[in-house]
Amino acid sequence: MNRTQRILVYIYVFAVVTLIVLTSVYQTAEPTELTHRVVIVATVAILMTLLLAVVLLYASNRRLKDANQKLFEKAMEDLEYRKKAKVVRADFEHKIEDLTKKLSEREVAARQKYENSSLDEEDKRVIIDKITAVMEGSDEIFSTEFSLNRLAELVGSNYKYVSQVINETGGQNFSSMLSEYRIKEACRRLTDQENYSSYTIEAVAESVGFKSRSNFVNTFKRITGITPSQFQRMAIDHRKDE
């Protein structure tokens, strides 16, 4: 019982006791008209006080019940959230475990595939640095004719060594690596309203080296998780909110 409820109970008890005392006085006192009026007025006032106390007590109990209900609902929401979070976390950990296993298998396969290679670690480091420089600094990678052989020429190595380094260091092949760089550039162009606002999805796809819209959309969604159209709309909404 909270403080408000205790006060209301005290008022209720006081009013009842007072009503009993007035009734007793009325029965024992001289039956004058003044006494009769005083007792009636006092009785009505006490009854009104009792009614008010009951109403306030009910309202207080109702508020307390509503507050407790909200606390209960919040606790249930937290419980449900924790339950869902646990499921999501378990699923995420499972996916991470699978991904780690697949990457390990790829690394083992890559080592086995290139175990007879004459490349040492220093050679690999030099080649991967040159590959990164080309992929991040040359617009030639956005040509539909760009190939592993052309990358090897730009790097100054043979295509077998370039392919080996890409497989061993990135856990992917040339085609996958090229697609990631092209999609990254496509994302930039889809958000560049100053230079590419007039470009359609097909035009952006072609500008980064994709020969078909369908291949571009599928690759874009595989890498980013959303379609180019969804990405473009979200980019426009983001600029409006800035």
Side-chain angles (χ1 to χ4, degrees):
M1 184 180 294
N2 58 35
R3 182 179 179 184
T4 302
Q5 290 176 324
R6 286 198 297 271
I7 293 174
L8 292 174
V9 169
Y10 293 153
I11 293 173
Y12 181 81
V13 172
F14 174 76
V16 170
V17 171
T18 304
L19 183 59
I20 294 173
V21 171
L22 284 174
T23 302
S24 177
V25 170
Y26 180 74
Q27 290 175 348
T28 59
E30 290 295 331
T32 63
E33 182 178 354
L34 178 60
T35 303
H36 181 70
R37 289 182 177 178
V38 169
V39 170
I40 291 176
V41 172
T43 300
V44 171
I46 292 172
L47 289 175
M48 292 296 292
T49 303
L50 284 174
L51 180 61
L52 178 62
V54 169
V55 171
L56 292 176
L57 184 61
Y58 173 80
S60 177
N61 287 333
R62 185 66 184 179
R63 285 195 299 271
L64 180 61
K65 183 178 180 181
D66 291 343
N68 290 338
Q69 180 65 26
K70 289 181 180 179
L71 291 174
F72 171 77
E73 291 174 355
K74 186 178 185 302
M76 292 302 294
E77 288 176 359
D78 290 342
L79 183 63
E80 186 67 21
Y81 173 79
R82 290 177 181 273
K83 187 186 298 183
K84 291 181 179 179
K86 185 176 180 180
V87 173
V88 172
R89 184 168 59 252
D91 182 59
F92 178 75
E93 291 175 352
H94 180 69
K95 289 180 178 179
I96 290 297
E97 183 179 348
D98 286 345
L99 181 59
T100 302
K101 183 178 179 181
K102 290 179 181 178
L103 288 175
S104 298
E105 291 173 349
R106 287 181 180 178
E107 289 174 357
V108 171
R111 284 196 297 269
Q112 292 175 344
K113 181 178 180 180
Y114 301 110
E115 61 184 358
N116 296 322
S117 173
S118 60
L119 282 178
D120 58 24
E121 294 304 317
E122 179 61 22
D123 291 333
K124 294 177 184 178
R125 187 188 64 77
V126 171
I127 291 175
I128 192 61
D129 286 345
K130 289 182 177 179
I131 290 173
T132 302
V134 171
M135 300 304 294
E136 294 185 353
S138 174
D139 287 341
E140 194 171 339
I141 68 170
F142 306 126
S143 166
T144 57
E145 304 303 321
F146 190 73
S147 64
L148 177 60
N149 286 328
R150 178 54 182 161
L151 175 61
E153 290 177 8
L154 295 173
V155 168
S157 181
N158 68 61
Y159 77 93
K160 290 183 178 179
Y161 287 163
V162 171
S163 178
Q164 175 185 344
V165 171
I166 293 172
N167 274 263
E168 289 184 343
T169 59
Q172 58 185 171
N173 57 29
F174 167 75
S175 179
S176 296
M177 181 190 71
L178 180 61
S179 292
E180 289 185 1
Y181 276 98
R182 286 175 170 177
I183 293 302
K184 182 167 65 174
E185 176 62 17
C187 289
R188 189 191 71 78
R189 295 185 183 188
L190 286 170
T191 59
D192 186 355
Q193 286 296 298
E194 183 177 349
N195 298 306
Y196 295 94
S197 60
S198 61
Y199 277 50
T200 62
I201 298 297
E202 290 84 352
V204 171
E206 184 178 349
S207 73
V208 294
F210 286 89
K211 295 181 179 180
S212 71
R213 175 191 171 95
S214 60
N215 184 31
F216 173 66
V217 171
N218 291 335
T219 305
F220 194 101
K221 188 172 183 179
R222 176 175 58 80
I223 293 175
T224 68
I226 57 177
T227 66
S229 298
Q230 290 172 326
F231 181 89
Q232 191 176 47
R233 286 196 298 271
M234 293 171 69
I236 293 173
D237 291 340
H238 178 73
R239 285 194 298 272
K240 290 180 179 178
D241 293 336
E242 290 180 344

